[in-house]
Amino acid sequence: MKPEALLSQLPHLDALEENVANALHLLHPHNISFPVFPDQIQFSVPSTYDCRCGDISSFRLFLPLNYKARWASSKLPPTWKADELSRVKSLFFILKVLTRLGAAPTLLDLSTQEVLTTSLTDHNYVFLHHEDYCLGIAPIIPELAHRIAYNLVSRGKAEESLKALESFFNGPMLLPEPGTSPHTIYENFACLRSRIIHEKYSSSSSSSSTYLDPDLEAKLLLDSPVTFTRLFCCRAEIATTLEEPDLEQWWLTAMNLHDEFPPSEEYTRLDTICATDMYGVRRRARQR
């Protein structure tokens, strides 16, 4: 049974977290390092199990062959035992957060959204596919919205990715007119996002019915042109996947934005497509 099959059973997750931690407590005194990642945890439950009875004693935890397990040596940091236990806590924290999510809008605090953003970026958590559960987060910080949209479209789930973008912008992303400068495009979308936040969530708005922590409210704004460019690149990839008639204009605009606002950190696959004209959109445009 995969962990996501237990998302509706919070008490089970608490018990399974305790079991994983206890397993590490058995290994650590023998100087065995056993770093645990999502794809290294397997759960089993008998076919006769009835989730309504709440008895979790029949659950069994399996830690299969772990190629990262080893005898601890001086190469490991002095905190390796605490680090491995902290990783388990972080993994189950994410799973427990996912139990709170659904189709209805769900408010998460800033620190939780930042943890989810990091986990969606970490290849060790790809196994969870937990972006599937995150479409109901609202309001949402731009970085998390990007990772959800990016992960979904990268898995071929273009329509779900489009929903994530349209939820973030409170409606369809409209393709700018050809020739519009990257700065103008970014400013227009940033103003749109600011207006949405003010009208729906700002504490100073008379129409807002949701109180937000000031730190979260400040982080909801689209104040990074790089993050906006990445959101726009997701929209261009969606156009490609859905074979939209104006897909080349989406990419031409995305590449212009990428030229103006290149990321300073590690490139994503869509960053590379823009930087190298991998789809040949600019080349074909020049040949016309």
Side-chain angles (χ1 to χ4, degrees), residues 66-78:
N66 185 348
Y67 290 99
K68 295 184 179 180
R70 53 182 166 170
W71 295 108
S73 68
S74 58
K75 294 181 180 179
L76 292 176

Side-chain angles (χ1 to χ4, degrees), residues 74-114:
S74 58
K75 294 181 180 179
L76 292 176
T79 58
W80 67 269
K81 293 180 182 179
D83 292 344
E84 291 184 5
L85 289 167
S86 177
R87 186 178 294 113
V88 169
K89 188 175 183 65
S90 176
L91 165 61
F92 279 89
F93 173 77
I94 292 168
L95 290 173
K96 291 172 187 177
V97 169
L98 298 183
T99 67
R100 298 162 52 189
L101 304 180
T106 304
L107 175 64
L108 298 179
D109 61 34
L110 177 59
S111 61
T112 300
Q113 293 202 36
E114 289 175 338

Side-chain angles (χ1 to χ4, degrees), residues 10-281:
L10 185 57
H12 301 161
L13 292 176
D14 289 333
L16 290 168
E17 178 183 1
E18 183 179 354
N19 286 345
V20 176
N22 287 341
L24 293 187
H25 284 305
L26 288 174
L27 295 171
H28 286 169
H30 298 284
N31 223 31
I32 298 175
S33 168
F34 198 98
V36 176
F37 297 101
D39 59 350
Q40 291 160 345
I41 299 177
Q42 294 178 5
F43 306 117
S44 177
V45 62
S47 59
T48 56
Y49 176 74
D50 184 354
C51 64
R52 294 170 297 180
C53 69
D55 178 17
I56 59 174
S57 60
S58 56
F59 272 81
R60 294 294 179 266
L61 166 71
F62 294 92
L63 295 178
L65 181 63
N66 185 348
Y67 290 99
K68 295 184 179 180
R70 53 182 166 170
W71 295 108
S73 68
S74 58
K75 294 181 180 179
L76 292 176
T79 58
W80 67 269
K81 293 180 182 179
D83 292 344
E84 291 184 5
L85 289 167
S86 177
R87 186 178 294 113
V88 169
K89 188 175 183 65
S90 176
L91 165 61
F92 279 89
F93 173 77
I94 292 168
L95 290 173
K96 291 172 187 177
V97 169
L98 298 183
T99 67
R100 298 162 52 189
L101 304 180
T106 304
L107 175 64
L108 298 179
D109 61 34
L110 177 59
S111 61
T112 300
Q113 293 202 36
E114 289 175 338
V115 168
L116 279 176
T117 303
T118 300
S119 69
L120 286 166
T121 310
D122 189 340
H123 71 277
N124 290 307
Y125 287 83
V126 170
F127 165 79
L128 291 178
H129 288 163
H130 50 307
E131 58 272 5
D132 292 339
Y133 303 97
C134 295
L135 291 174
I137 299 173
I140 189 169
I141 61 175
E143 295 78 11
L144 179 54
H146 163 250
R147 289 311 310 190
I148 293 169
Y150 176 83
N151 287 12
L152 286 169
V153 76
S154 295
R155 291 169 52 207
K157 305 184 77 168
E159 292 184 357
E160 290 84 350
S161 182
L162 186 59
K163 288 179 183 177
L165 293 179
E166 292 184 347
S167 174
F168 182 78
F169 287 109
N170 201 36
M173 286 184 71
L174 301 180
L175 181 61
E177 290 293 326
T180 307
S181 76
H183 283 273
T184 298
I185 295 172
Y186 164 63
E187 289 167 3
N188 288 343
F189 276 92
C191 287
L192 170 62
R193 177 64 177 171
S194 179
R195 188 164 61 251
I196 293 167
I197 298 306
H198 176 75
E199 293 175 355
K200 296 185 66 174
Y201 304 110
S202 176
S203 57
S204 62
S205 172
S206 60
S207 61
S208 174
S209 59
T210 304
Y211 173 77
L212 297 181
D213 178 85
D215 291 337
L216 174 59
E217 186 176 333
K219 288 289 188 177
L220 294 173
L221 298 174
L222 188 56
D223 56 5
S224 167
V226 172
T227 300
F228 166 68
T229 298
R230 286 179 155 173
L231 287 165
F232 201 94
C233 288
C234 289
R235 183 61 184 85
E237 182 73 347
I238 289 168
T240 299
T241 304
L242 298 181
E243 299 181 344
E244 296 179 2
D246 49 8
L247 66 89
E248 294 210 344
Q249 188 57 46
W250 278 108
W251 276 114
L252 288 171
T253 306
M255 286 188 282
N256 289 339
L257 285 164
H258 192 273
D259 290 345
E260 192 67 25
F261 309 118
S264 57
E265 65 270 23
E266 183 179 356
Y267 272 27
T268 67
R269 182 179 64 87
L270 298 186
D271 290 328
T272 301
I273 290 173
C274 282
T276 63
D277 189 20
M278 188 179 295
Y279 290 163
V281 175

